[in-house]
Amino acid sequence: MMRVSPTRSKVLSFAPHLALWACLIAQAPARAESPASEETGLKIALEARGRGEGFGNFTASQVMVLRNKQGRESRRQLRLKVLEVEGDGNKSLFVFDEPRDVKETALLIHGHRESADEQWLYLPALKRVKRISSANRSGSFMGSEFAYEDMGSQEVERFSYRYLRDEPCGDLTCTVSERVPVDERSGYRRQLVWRDQDELRVWKVEYYDRKDAHLKTLTFGSYEKHLDRYWYAGEMTMVNHLTGKSTVLSWTDFQFRTDFDERDFTQTGLRRVR
């Protein structure tokens, strides 16, 4: 893969008082969009998606731990169902079981490749299904540091890509790519994604807000392979650098290719989730 780096040899030929100006000029091509870096970034994203296709469906249990800046915690228990949709984004259903004040609250997501996800939130106390509008996707999901936008499908077509570099990440070597949301209503200006070269697992994502400030960092760990092919992280930690808050999602009890009731993935189905 091509590594994007500034050409420093030219800088040395300039007079000292012009060194800073020359450095900036030399670095400009590295920051500009390069067809080669764009092609490499897109290739990595497409290959990663291809490796994750074909699972059919799965269920899992989650524990969500919310921590404030002082370290105080609150804990929630929820279930997840994911249904693979060939040629489009997947359908996902999150259902809260504990504590009592959020029990039976459910989030339904219909992911799409070419258009924005559709999302609905069921509020049992009101017996009401609320549609999450695209304008509100940057809002917090159930008080966590995950936005509704983060919970949706991260389809390849919804971003433009630019490969930046390779670098060590722990005992592995990762590719670092920048992806920019196509949707102008996204809460993010750009994201940086670290994937290991061998398995293309995501280990870290940095999120930059619309003013290009580093807003959040998501890290992944405790990966396990399922069905001898699919890697899924057992833990995801989202840290908000502006508030000092964090949210940890722990995943257990993965079960693949189960007997699903596809009616659960409808707005009507949300009302009978238990």
Side-chain angles (χ1 to χ4, degrees):
M1 297 180 180
M2 182 185 301
R3 179 167 180 167
V4 180
S5 60
T7 304
R8 299 190 180 276
S9 59
K10 296 182 180 180
V11 176
L12 300 178
S13 65
F14 284 82
H17 68 281
L18 294 177
L20 177 59
W21 177 85
C23 183
L24 292 174
I25 294 298
Q27 289 183 4
R31 183 62 186 170
E33 294 183 357
S34 161
S37 64
E38 290 179 357
E39 182 179 349
T40 301
L42 178 58
K43 181 180 177 181
I44 293 170
L46 287 171
E47 184 176 349
R49 179 168 72 184
R51 293 192 186 191
E53 291 178 333
F55 64 87
N57 65 55
F58 73 82
T59 63
S61 299
Q62 288 185 337
V63 174
M64 176 187 285
V65 178
L66 286 67
R67 294 191 180 100
N68 65 14
K69 189 175 183 179
Q70 290 72 38
R72 289 193 290 270
E73 296 183 356
S74 59
R75 186 176 298 259
R76 295 168 177 176
Q77 183 76 40
L78 57 156
R79 292 169 281 134
L80 170 65
K81 291 183 178 182
V82 176
L83 177 65
E84 186 174 23
V85 179
E86 186 176 353
D88 202 359
N90 299 328
K91 296 180 180 180
S92 304
L93 177 64
F94 298 82
V95 182
F96 286 82
D97 293 324
E98 296 179 3
R100 182 177 298 178
D101 61 343
V102 296
K103 184 178 175 63
E104 297 180 5
T105 300
L107 175 67
L108 173 64
I109 302 173
H110 288 185
H112 299 295
R113 290 187 176 181
E114 302 292 345
S115 59
D117 291 347
E118 298 173 275
Q119 297 184 344
W120 300 270
L121 185 68
Y122 175 63
L123 303 170
L126 302 176
K127 298 188 183 326
R128 176 189 170 197
V129 175
K130 173 185 176 183
R131 187 184 183 95
I132 307 299
S133 69
S134 296
N136 293 328
R137 300 283 164 83
S138 60
S140 168
F141 171 58
M142 298 295 289
S144 74
E145 298 315 303
F146 289 85
Y148 284 97
E149 182 174 354
D150 305 328
M151 305 302 292
S153 60
Q154 307 298 303
E155 296 296 333
V156 175
E157 292 82 359
R158 307 259 292 280
F159 300 88
S160 61
Y161 295 84
R162 190 164 63 95
Y163 164 77
L164 301 179
R165 61 186 180 272
D166 292 346
E167 68 179 33
C169 50
D171 296 329
L172 305 170
T173 299
C174 283
T175 64
V176 185
S177 296
E178 179 185 71
R179 64 185 186 190
V180 176
V182 174
D183 188 349
E184 296 181 352
R185 295 167 296 184
S186 170
Y188 306 116
R189 180 172 180 176
R190 61 190 178 101
Q191 303 168 16
L192 300 184
V193 183
W194 279 254
R195 293 183 185 271
D196 66 77
Q197 290 183 331
D198 294 334
E199 302 291 347
L200 298 183
R201 295 166 295 191
V202 177
W203 290 95
K204 183 170 72 170
V205 181
E206 291 183 351
Y207 298 86
Y208 292 80
D209 65 17
R210 299 302 302 178
K211 296 181 179 179
D212 208 28
H214 185 188
L215 176 61
K216 300 187 297 188
T217 298
L218 175 61
T219 55
F220 298 74
S222 303
Y223 271 99
E224 292 186 0
K225 183 183 280 189
H226 301 271
L227 302 179
D228 295 323
R229 175 179 174 183
Y230 304 105
W231 288 98
Y232 286 84
E235 186 170 284
M236 302 166 62
T237 302
M238 182 74 86
V239 176
N240 188 313
H241 302 293
L242 297 186
T243 66
K245 297 179 180 181
S246 65
T247 300
V248 179
L249 284 178
S250 299
W251 301 62
T252 57
D253 303 326
F254 282 92
Q255 296 184 38
F256 287 80
R257 297 171 182 170
T258 61
D259 186 14
F260 266 7
D261 185 347
E262 295 190 17
R263 293 178 300 172
D264 289 345
F265 296 91
T266 64
Q267 294 183 58
T268 302
L270 274 177
R271 299 179 182 275
R272 50 184 174 80
V273 167
R274 295 291 183 271

